[in-house]
Amino acid sequence: MNKREFLDLLRYYLRSYPAYIVNDIVADYEEHFRMGAEKGKTETEIAAELGSPKDIADEFLMHEWPPRPNSAAFQQPIPPQGQMPNQGYPNRVPSR
């Protein structure tokens, strides 16, 4: 597998993530290819050393990195103004 095939597959398997995250991950793997080429390795050798794009994507997806927001947290009702919990902080700053 060459560099383009490897990166295209990695993008495909990471498609459930936002584009900016996929682009960041792919940029890291592009750097692996660049460094390998500097050492005289072929794209095929580098891809083989990196492993399967599917396995790499599965590893990211399995660990939920970066963590995805808990959708239940966004479904909690917002208390009316003036009834927000102060979480242990005073309601106002003491005057001097």
Side-chain angles (χ1 to χ4, degrees):
M1 173 181 327
N2 66 29
K3 175 183 171 181
R4 182 180 177 99
E5 293 167 333
F6 181 93
L7 296 176
D8 285 349
L9 282 172
L10 185 59
R11 282 184 187 281
Y12 173 78
Y13 291 122
L14 291 170
R15 68 189 179 277
S16 64
Y17 276 109
Y20 74 95
I21 293 173
V22 174
N23 292 339
D24 191 45
I25 293 169
V26 169
D28 288 344
Y29 282 90
E30 286 176 330
E31 181 67 11
H32 285 286
F33 276 94
R34 187 192 63 74
M35 291 180 351
E38 285 179 359
K39 295 178 182 177
K41 296 179 181 179
T42 67
E43 290 183 355
T44 303
E45 290 171 327
I46 299 164
E49 289 175 2
L50 292 173
S52 161
K54 181 170 182 359
D55 291 344
I56 293 167
D58 286 347
E59 195 66 26
F60 278 101
L61 296 170
M62 181 174 62
H63 294 290
E64 290 289 329
W65 187 254
R68 296 177 189 183
N70 178 355
S71 61
F74 294 106
Q75 296 172 2
Q76 298 293 324
I78 298 173
Q81 188 173 5
Q83 296 181 17
M84 295 291 287
N86 64 15
Q87 300 176 359
Y89 296 104
N91 289 334
R92 61 184 183 159
V93 176
S95 58
R96 294 182 187 193

